[in-house]
Amino acid sequence: MKTIEVEHTGGPEVLHMRDVSGLEPPGPGQALVRVLAAGVNFLDIGQRRGSYPRQVPFTPGMEGAGIVESIGDDSNVVAPSSRVVFADQPGAYAEASLVSADRLIPLPDDFTFEEGAAFPLQGMTAHYLIHEFRKPVRGDVVLIHAAAGGVGQMLVQWAHHLGAYVIGTVSSEEKAQVVRDDGANEVIIYTKKNFAQEVNRLTNNHGADLILDGVGKSTFRRNLEAVAIRGHIVIFGSSSGPSDQIEPNELMAKDITVSGGSLGKFISTRQEMLRRASDVIKAMREGWLKLHIDCVLPLDQAEEAHRLLESRKSKGKIVLVNTAGEKSAPF
């Protein structure tokens, strides 16, 4: 079968297509999934760079959609021929992957495999960020960094749905329009303006009650200026690098709460994972939460997919597809 492999960490050029022997049959608790689409995420880039270390060589990709080929035991969690998606499971940049059966999420028949690969990680991330720290209520000011990214767009839509006053930060006017269309009340182009000063100006110096930050180094220090008294900052990523250190006593000036989040801890049980996925699917079916798939590329263009995401030129989700199609059986 074909797979993308990283033999050593580095830039996008280390992503190579390989023909490898078929996977071992699934063991107890495992399922063999024919991967038809894989989501591309900043986590993949971090693993490729080595900032989120994995033992090399490895196949990138933590999110995918496909069809169950076989299962390793008599588990009733999933059956062969089922349409499924998975998140937080390694090895999605391949024509097939061995996945823990209890981490598979049923993919409804009215969703394409590209849609299935686009929503799990970012949709469930948006879900826990909105619900687990300070759930916005009508009138709350919510500041969302990288608002035109995959998670950012879902966060904007969810906060808007709950009645919050939503401010997004983006790098360009083109992306700003995307975020306005998602329901943001205001958009700040951080390459042109100091976002902390703008947030305070837009809110008459109230600041943001909730700040959702997946950027890290280039944003965190100014978050402390932009946050409201008794506000909450949630760090869930570091696309610009790790956040600068602060002295804990600095938080006393405004009685600020700072939290950190990662999806794996919020989908640690199958029940919790299915609840979050179900809420995301329900929201998409109701129409107020929309997927933005910006680019679909064949698997052998994984290098280009990473370059697009790293350049911040994409305006939504990037998906890699197995162009051999649903009926292929490369393993």
Side-chain angles (χ1 to χ4, degrees):
M1 71 172 194
K2 296 185 184 299
T3 182
I4 300 296
E5 285 194 356
V6 174
E7 295 181 349
H8 59 86
T9 57
E13 68 279 358
V14 305
L15 297 168
H16 296 294
M17 177 77 86
R18 296 282 187 258
D19 283 308
V20 300
S21 58
L23 295 170
E24 295 292 327
Q30 289 185 316
L32 178 62
V33 177
R34 186 192 317 154
V35 181
L36 297 174
V40 180
N41 298 284
F42 271 105
L43 177 58
D44 308 342
I45 290 172
Q47 291 178 350
R48 189 208 73 220
R49 291 172 174 169
S51 50
Y52 295 103
R54 286 185 62 184
Q55 184 174 347
V56 294
F58 67 88
T59 296
M62 301 292 290
E63 170 185 52
I67 298 172
V68 176
E69 284 292 315
S70 59
I71 56 177
D73 53 27
D74 295 329
S75 169
N76 60 3
V77 172
V78 67
S81 300
S82 300
R83 303 171 86 248
V84 294
V85 303
F86 58 87
D88 206 29
Q89 293 283 292
Y93 290 15
E95 291 184 325
S97 184
L98 285 173
V99 180
S100 296
D102 67 354
R103 307 313 290 170
L104 293 173
I105 300 166
L107 178 64
D109 289 340
D110 54 332
F111 280 68
T112 67
F113 289 105
E114 288 84 356
E115 290 171 329
F119 85 80
L121 274 175
Q122 293 170 339
M124 292 191 293
T125 296
H127 189 282
Y128 90 76
L129 289 170
I130 288 289
H131 291 86
E132 300 299 337
F133 299 99
R134 176 180 177 146
K135 185 176 180 180
V137 298
R138 186 165 298 279
D140 274 358
V141 178
V142 178
L143 174 64
I144 298 165
H145 289 301
V151 175
Q153 290 184 43
M154 287 195 166
L155 287 171
V156 168
Q157 293 176 75
W158 218 306
H160 171 76
H161 178 71
L162 294 174
Y165 183 86
V166 181
I167 303 173
T169 68
V170 298
S171 60
S172 68
E173 181 55 45
E174 185 180 12
K175 289 185 176 183
Q177 189 55 53
V178 172
V179 176
R180 293 186 190 102
D181 292 343
D182 282 330
N185 298 85
E186 299 286 349
V187 184
I188 300 167
I189 301 177
Y190 66 83
T191 54
K192 297 181 178 180
K193 294 183 178 180
N194 180 313
F195 77 80
Q197 293 177 359
E198 281 297 291
V199 168
N200 287 316
R201 181 185 68 81
L202 292 167
T203 62
N204 294 318
N205 290 317
H206 172 82
D209 300 294
L210 174 64
I211 299 177
L212 300 171
D213 187 353
V215 176
K217 185 175 182 62
S218 64
T219 51
F220 182 71
R221 174 57 63 177
R222 285 182 177 171
N223 287 341
L224 302 179
E225 303 170 30
V227 71
I229 292 173
R230 297 173 64 180
H232 205 136
I233 301 170
V234 184
I235 300 294
F236 66 95
S238 55
S239 62
S240 69
S243 303
D244 293 335
Q245 295 184 4
I246 62 169
E247 294 294 332
N249 290 59
E250 292 183 61
L251 307 178
M252 296 172 61
K254 292 184 178 180
D255 295 320
I256 302 167
T257 300
V258 177
S259 300
S262 61
L263 177 62
K265 307 301 188 298
F266 288 93
I267 56 170
S268 58
T269 68
R270 179 167 178 79
Q271 181 181 17
E272 185 175 34
M273 178 186 71
L274 291 179
R275 175 175 62 84
R276 295 195 193 282
S278 177
D279 284 354
V280 174
I281 290 170
K282 180 175 181 288
M284 290 192 290
R285 281 179 163 158
E286 290 175 352
W288 58 263
L289 184 65
K290 299 182 186 301
L291 282 175
H292 295 278
I293 299 178
D294 183 61
C295 187
V296 177
L297 296 170
L299 182 61
D300 61 7
Q301 292 186 28
E303 178 180 341
E304 175 63 17
H306 275 223
R307 292 189 189 281
L308 281 171
L309 189 58
E310 282 184 290
S311 70
R312 299 191 178 277
K313 292 180 181 178
S314 58
K315 301 182 293 299
K317 190 73 174 186
I318 299 173
V319 176
L320 296 172
V321 294
N322 170 13
T323 54
E326 293 185 28
K327 296 183 179 180
S328 64
F331 40 84

